[in-house]
Each structure stands twice: as structure tokens, then as C-alpha cells.
Amino acid sequence: MTDTERRLAEAEERLALLEGRLARLEDEAAVTALILSYGPLVDSGQAEAVAALWTPDGVYDVDELLMTGRAEIEAMVRSGKHQRWIREGCAHVVGAPRVRVTGDEAVAVCYTLMIVRAPEAGEFTLRRATANHWRLRRGPHGWRVTVRSNRVLDGRPESPELLASGVGAAPERDA
């Protein structure tokens, strides 16, 4: 192999590595954008757009409600309870997710805060602080959620376990 051929082979190898790194970063950015779109969509009552974040058979598992499929997710956004929160003032604040992409699958964890306004007092209060675990899959229309699990951060062990499982760690236990 000539010196020129060797340099060309090295350059092609570096280019392939850079393309792989760029593709991973683009995937992480796309997953992050999808997750961060949840709050504005749900707080503006965009039921179809919220449901479209999931695969057709996707699952949204909130400790107080299990929704399977887009129709059930849409129904949650259109429900009287949710529409009342929107009318009175609410914010689903989604923290920046920690995303791990492996091929066409991704796992992400983050926190969400649900802040609601008490109309009689005009003050905002924290209704929930939750641990979120997202499973996503890349398909013909981009990344979509297959399963999202939320658990209230109220001391129950499954809440920190959800977070730890998304960063590849086990939660430490008191001895």
C-alpha cells in the first residue's frame, strides 16, 4: 500500500467514524425534541399531536392512569379534567432528558413537573413531580414513543428505579 493509499484509507475511516457520531447526535437531538414537545402540546390541548408522539399501539403508563393506543391518549387530553387544567392554567414542565440510542431503539429518562393554577387564589402550585422513563423506536415517520412510564417522586422505590434504568445504573439502597 502506498503512502497516499494509506492516508486515503485513514481519512475514509475517520470520515465513517464522524458520520456515525453525527448520526447518533442527530438521533439524540430528534428524541430530545420529541420529548420536549410533549409539554407545549398537552398544555395547548393538541390531542391528536400529543397522541402522534406515540406509535399506534404505544403505551402511556402514569401511576394513576394506563393508556394504550393513540385513541386513549387523545381521550386523556380531551377529558374534562385535563381541559379544566388548561382553562385554569397549567404547565407540564419537562426537564432535559438523558437519551441513549441503540440502532432504531432509544431510552430516555427525565423529570416532569405539573404546575397548576388555583383560580380562586390566582397562585400556581406544584401538583406533581415525576420520574419519566421513555422507550422510543425509529420508524418510517421518525422517532415515536412505544412506552412512557411516569411515577410520582414521593418516596416509592419504583420512581428512582425508573430514572436509574435509563442511565444504566442501579439505585443505591440504604443499608
Side-chain angles (χ1 to χ4, degrees), residues 71-119:
E72 291 183 12
I73 295 167
E74 281 186 44
M76 176 272 297
V77 178
R78 289 190 174 107
S79 72
K81 186 177 192 178
H82 189 83
Q83 291 299 309
R84 188 185 80 243
W85 283 328
I86 292 172
R87 280 191 312 277
E88 293 176 355
C90 76
H92 289 76
V93 181
V94 181
R98 165 64 166 91
V99 178
R100 288 184 306 146
V101 175
T102 307
D104 290 336
E105 304 286 326
V107 171
V109 292
C110 63
Y111 299 97
T112 55
L113 303 175
M114 184 180 178
I115 301 168
V116 296
R117 185 176 156 273

Side-chain angles (χ1 to χ4, degrees), residues 45-145:
Q46 304 298 310
E48 288 181 24
V50 171
L53 299 175
W54 273 259
T55 58
D57 60 346
V59 173
Y60 188 2
D61 176 13
V62 182
D63 50 13
E64 60 190 42
L65 180 63
L66 178 66
M67 295 158 275
T68 302
R70 289 178 174 167
E72 291 183 12
I73 295 167
E74 281 186 44
M76 176 272 297
V77 178
R78 289 190 174 107
S79 72
K81 186 177 192 178
H82 189 83
Q83 291 299 309
R84 188 185 80 243
W85 283 328
I86 292 172
R87 280 191 312 277
E88 293 176 355
C90 76
H92 289 76
V93 181
V94 181
R98 165 64 166 91
V99 178
R100 288 184 306 146
V101 175
T102 307
D104 290 336
E105 304 286 326
V107 171
V109 292
C110 63
Y111 299 97
T112 55
L113 303 175
M114 184 180 178
I115 301 168
V116 296
R117 185 176 156 273
E120 58 282 349
E123 295 177 353
F124 288 89
T125 59
L126 179 64
R127 180 178 182 274
R128 295 170 57 97
T130 59
N132 294 249
H133 185 276
W134 304 72
R135 291 195 174 280
L136 305 97
R137 182 180 314 122
R138 181 195 346 251
H141 303 291
W143 289 96
R144 295 291 180 267
V145 180

